[in-house]
């Protein structure tokens, strides 16, 4: 099943393995130097940062160790919005060659900018990830992430081109065409969201595609939370190694971190992004191993550096002796965002925890929707999940028994009662990008 080739064709001029394998001490030195540069650059070029640093009493020339970063205030998404569109750019606009932007469903979108150097770094970060996981010249990289204002597609494109791969920038949607191209062009690499990958699998199976006969070997899947059993499902159905890739536009886009072939934590491209985990309530920096909110400081970007940017993503950091040889710090699979955390009768629940339980139940399809309502002023949580065709036609009583047994499994894993509603196959909306896992109906009038 693992069709990954060995690392042949090394292209040293494009590649700096010595940094990712250099070890903690060298990395810290490198980070400290880059942090000082970044802070000086922000201070010298941008009014917002100058005011910020002055208020916090931080002199960029007097940063002596990495932990001094804790003296600096956080940057939040709200502040990016308040400085819409270009207020936090740190180079003159004529040096900026690209902007990207987030969706902006709750106000001004956040706009991020890149100089030519920043685009180069972006490509470099993903190139290292792809190269280290077996992608080389000759690979055919199908990018099914959206292009456009969303950062998903471009980063992978730059990386793949730097490696000399053939890029297929198909973008999201038009699933049958995705499948045809995958087969005809013999795509070996897929860049996509996990939910859309699963949809591609489903449509492929329906029209008779035999994924074991395709050429796909590795997928870089991310842009949304997903669970370990979801990976198993994707690998089983698509016959490729599925790696978890993480990033966000404010920090650079995809390429902040990604799993190596060990699939045990995501190596952070630490020479470009300094990571911290904080307690989201107190803002206190937490030691490695403690779960909290990820905070990133960019170390090499010029147009849009971020200083202690609060991602709202929940994870923890850890160091290990990774058999892949990289010494880069790792982050655990992000569980979800503080925004998406549901608080039901005092218990914190992430959709990904529910997914993890559902995915392990035989005869359930990997398609679900969490529905929130209120009943007598109390929040009620229900999960709709599709059953496989084979059992949908069972007797009603058997299905009710099945629902109860899943409720029991959810209760023992999560500690609250979540009502389960089994749904007919193919009735829950499929995603062609980031999946919408929660339908919040609490504000709806009856
Ligand atoms: P937004 O979704 O805020 O418009 P982006 O498109 O830049 O912004 O998406 C970045 C966000 O997507 C991250 O902050 C995180 O919440 C989520 N994300 C990205 N990759 C992963 C991943 N591998 N696992 C979990 N969540 C992810
Ligand atoms: Zn590794």
């Amino acid at each position: 099943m693992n069709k990954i080739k060995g690392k042949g064709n090394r292209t040293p001029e494009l590649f700096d393995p010595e940094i990712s394998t250099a070890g903690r001490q060298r990395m810290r030195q490198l980070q400290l130097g880059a942090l000082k540069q970044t802070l000086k650059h922000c201070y010298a070029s941008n009014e917002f940062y100058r005011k910020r640093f002055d208020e916090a009493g931080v002199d960029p020339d007097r940063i002596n160790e990495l932990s001094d970063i804790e003296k600096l205030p956080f940057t939040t998404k709200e502040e990016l919005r308040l400085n819409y569109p270009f207020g936090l750019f740190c180079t003159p606009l004529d040096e900026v060659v690209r902007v990207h932007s987030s969706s902006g469903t709750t106000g001004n979108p956040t706009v991020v900018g890149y100089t030519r150097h920043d685009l180069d770094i972006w490509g470099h970060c993903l190139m290292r990830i792809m190269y280290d996981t077996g992608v080389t010249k000759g690979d055919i990289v199908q990018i099914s992430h959206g292009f456009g204002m969303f950062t998903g597609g471009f980063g992978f494109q730059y990386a793949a081109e730097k490696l000399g791969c053939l890029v297929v920038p198909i973008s999201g949607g038009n699933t049958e065409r995705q499948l045809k191209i995958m087969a005809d062009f013999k795509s070996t690499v897929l860049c996509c969201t996990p939910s859309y990958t699963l949809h591609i699998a489903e449509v492929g199976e329906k029209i008779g595609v035999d994924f074991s006969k395709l050429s796909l070997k590795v997928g870089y899947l991310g842009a949304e939370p997903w669970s370990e059993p979801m990976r198993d499902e994707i690998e089983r159905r698509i016959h490729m190694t599925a790696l978890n890739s993480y990033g966000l536009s404010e920090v650079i886009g995809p390429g902040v971190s990604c799993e190596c072939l060990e699939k045990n934590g995501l190596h952070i491209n630490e020479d470009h992004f300094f990571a911290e985990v904080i307690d989201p309530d107190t803002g206190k920096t937490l030691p490695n191993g403690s779960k909290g909110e990820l905070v990133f400081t960019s170390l090499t970007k010029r147009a849009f550096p971020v200083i202690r940017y609060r991602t709202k993503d929940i994870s923890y950091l850890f160091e290990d002796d990774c058999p892949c040889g990289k010494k880069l710090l790792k982050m655990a699979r992000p569980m979800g965002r503080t925004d998406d955390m549901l608080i039901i009768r005092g218990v914190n629940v992430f959709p990904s925890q529910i997914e993890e339980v559902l995915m392990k139940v035989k005869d359930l399809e990997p398609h679900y929707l969490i529905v929130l309502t209120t009943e007598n002023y109390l929040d009620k949580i229900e999960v709709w999940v599709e059953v496989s065709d084979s059992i949908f036609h069972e007797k009603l009583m058997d299905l009710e028994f099945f629902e109860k047994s899943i409720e029991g499994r959810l209760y023992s894993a999560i500690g609250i009662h979540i009502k389960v509603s089994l749904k007919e196959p193919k009735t829950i909306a499929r995603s062609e990008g980031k999946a919408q896992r929660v339908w919040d109906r609490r504000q709806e009038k009856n």
Side-chain angles (χ1 to χ4, degrees), residues 258-265 267 320-328 330:
C258 187
E259 288 174 332
C260 60
L261 295 176
E262 298 300 319
K263 299 181 196 162
N264 173 28
H267 284 289
D320 71 352
D321 209 358
C322 191
C324 81
K326 291 211 239 195
K327 300 271 192 292
L328 299 174
K330 286 182 173 178

Side-chain angles (χ1 to χ4, degrees), residues 68 76 95 124 179 243 255 288 306 324 328 342 345 396 405:
D68 285 345
T76 61
E95 282 181 35
H124 183 88
L179 286 154
L243 301 177
N288 286 357
V306 279
C324 81
L328 299 174
L342 310 167
R345 296 186 286 284
L396 197 60
S405 84

Side-chain angles (χ1 to χ4, degrees), residues 2 93 125 168 178 187 199 209 222 248 275 319 340 377 402 430:
N2 188 344
L93 210 53
C125 286
V168 186
Q178 300 268 357
S187 305
H199 185 41
V209 174
L248 62 166
E319 283 175 31
D340 299 335
Y377 305 101
F402 190 32
R430 305 297 192 251

Side-chain angles (χ1 to χ4, degrees), residues 38 53 56 75 174 195 204 216 247 307-308 361 366 385 397 402 426:
T38 297
F53 295 180
T75 311
N174 204 341
S195 58
L216 285 176
I307 308 296
R308 301 196 88 200
V361 180
V385 57
M397 227 174 64
F402 190 32
K426 319 241 169 359

Side-chain angles (χ1 to χ4, degrees), residues 77 102-103 150 223-225 244-249 313 337 434:
K77 192 162 191 127
S102 72
S103 42
F150 176 58
E224 63 184 5
N244 194 355
S245 145
Y246 169 87
L248 62 166
S249 49
D313 293 323
R337 290 147 86 119
K434 294 185 188 231

Side-chain angles (χ1 to χ4, degrees), residues 72-101:
L72 289 163
F74 298 112
T75 311
T76 61
K77 192 162 191 127
E78 191 46 35
E79 282 163 331
L80 305 194
R81 288 204 171 111
L82 288 172
N83 288 283
Y84 173 86
F86 305 139
L88 293 186
F89 284 16
C90 291
T91 50
L93 210 53
D94 65 3
E95 282 181 35
V96 179
V97 297
R98 168 73 60 72
V99 288
H100 280 285
S101 149

Side-chain angles (χ1 to χ4, degrees), residues 79-290:
E79 282 163 331
L80 305 194
R81 288 204 171 111
L82 288 172
N83 288 283
Y84 173 86
F86 305 139
L88 293 186
F89 284 16
C90 291
T91 50
L93 210 53
D94 65 3
E95 282 181 35
V96 179
V97 297
R98 168 73 60 72
V99 288
H100 280 285
S101 149
S102 72
S103 42
T105 33
T106 52
N108 275 339
T110 53
V111 180
V112 300
Y114 303 75
T115 61
R116 206 167 281 288
H117 158 88
D118 298 337
L119 289 182
D120 211 42
I121 286 173
W122 189 13
H124 183 88
C125 286
L126 276 166
M127 179 183 74
R128 175 194 282 168
I129 287 166
M130 294 171 85
Y131 189 84
D132 286 349
T133 43
V135 178
T136 53
K137 185 169 177 345
D139 272 305
I140 300 178
V141 181
Q142 181 159 342
I143 305 179
S144 309
H145 274 304
F147 283 79
M149 293 305 263
F150 176 58
T151 47
F154 286 96
F156 283 105
Q157 181 199 319
Y158 298 136
E161 283 177 359
K162 274 182 196 288
L163 284 170
C165 304
L166 189 162
V167 173
V168 186
I170 185 166
S171 198
N174 204 341
T175 310
E176 293 202 11
R177 183 157 161 256
Q178 300 268 357
L179 286 154
K180 180 168 168 46
I181 283 188
M182 214 174 255
D184 295 348
F185 295 9
K186 300 193 171 33
S187 305
T188 56
V189 179
L190 179 68
C191 307
C192 196
T193 61
S195 58
Y196 189 44
T197 306
L198 208 52
H199 185 41
I200 293 176
E202 186 180 46
V203 173
E205 286 155 8
K206 196 171 122 215
I207 61 175
V209 174
D210 179 352
F211 283 97
S212 72
K213 302 247 161 62
L214 297 188
S215 310
L216 285 176
K217 58 176 186 176
V218 62
Y220 300 96
L221 312 184
E224 63 184 5
W226 55 309
S227 62
E228 206 57 53
M230 180 72 102
R231 183 210 315 266
D232 296 342
E233 177 86 14
I234 289 172
E235 292 194 331
R236 185 178 61 77
R237 289 169 68 172
I238 301 248
H239 294 261
M240 67 174 185
T241 296
L243 301 177
N244 194 355
S245 145
Y246 169 87
L248 62 166
S249 49
E250 294 84 352
V251 177
I252 202 155
V256 175
S257 67
C258 187
E259 288 174 332
C260 60
L261 295 176
E262 298 300 319
K263 299 181 196 162
N264 173 28
L266 293 77
H267 284 289
I268 299 170
N269 276 321
E270 291 185 88
D271 42 342
H272 300 284
F273 314 107
F274 180 75
E276 296 170 87
V277 163
I278 60 160
D279 177 328
D281 298 323
T282 64
K284 217 171 139 295
T285 306
L286 299 174
N288 286 357
S290 304

